Amino acid sequence: MSYITAHALDSTAGTPARGMHVTLMTSAGEEIAAAVTNDDGRVGELGPETLEPGTYRIVFGTGAYFQAAGMDHFHPSVTIDFTVKAGEKHYHIPLLLSPFAYSTYRGS
């Protein structure tokens, strides 16, 4: 399992958000890795095996996802900043979304 994983769920359709672009970045905006969610809405490999402690950013391409589905939407992307602490073995970042709202939490 990768050090960083992600999961996107479309609460409007009640399905995984398949085919969504996800990007891992430094807090300064430099891209570290990019992937596309699979049929389960998951990205199991995003970035290196470890990251130095600090602040990082994950960007979900929600606008393109909803546009491809022919749905009006409010957020062109969802950006989540998070802190990596020394000694942690894994970070999972889930996103529950609809065209006009989203929520997230630290997953396991």
Side-chain angles (χ1 to χ4, degrees):
M1 180 183 340
S2 179
Y3 191 67
I4 305 292
T5 58
H7 193 189
L9 297 168
D10 182 341
S11 65
T12 304
T15 61
R18 298 174 187 91
M20 182 181 296
H21 290 271
V22 180
T23 306
L24 175 65
M25 307 173 93
T26 66
S27 61
E30 296 173 30
E31 184 175 310
I32 298 170
V36 176
T37 57
N38 65 17
D39 285 347
D40 290 328
R42 295 179 182 274
V43 173
E45 296 291 328
L46 189 61
E49 291 182 14
T50 62
L51 289 171
E52 292 295 319
T55 302
Y56 294 87
R57 176 172 295 153
I58 191 167
V59 180
F60 292 86
T62 55
Y65 168 79
F66 284 118
Q67 185 175 15
M71 298 176 71
D72 190 20
H73 57 279
F74 184 67
H75 303 283
S77 63
V78 170
T79 301
I80 300 164
D81 290 346
F82 62 99
T83 302
V84 169
K85 296 182 180 179
E88 295 289 329
K89 293 184 168 67
H90 176 247
Y91 287 86
H92 181 66
I93 300 142
L95 178 69
L96 180 63
L97 68 140
S98 73
F100 299 97
Y102 66 89
S103 64
T104 188
Y105 56 93
R106 178 169 180 188
S108 57

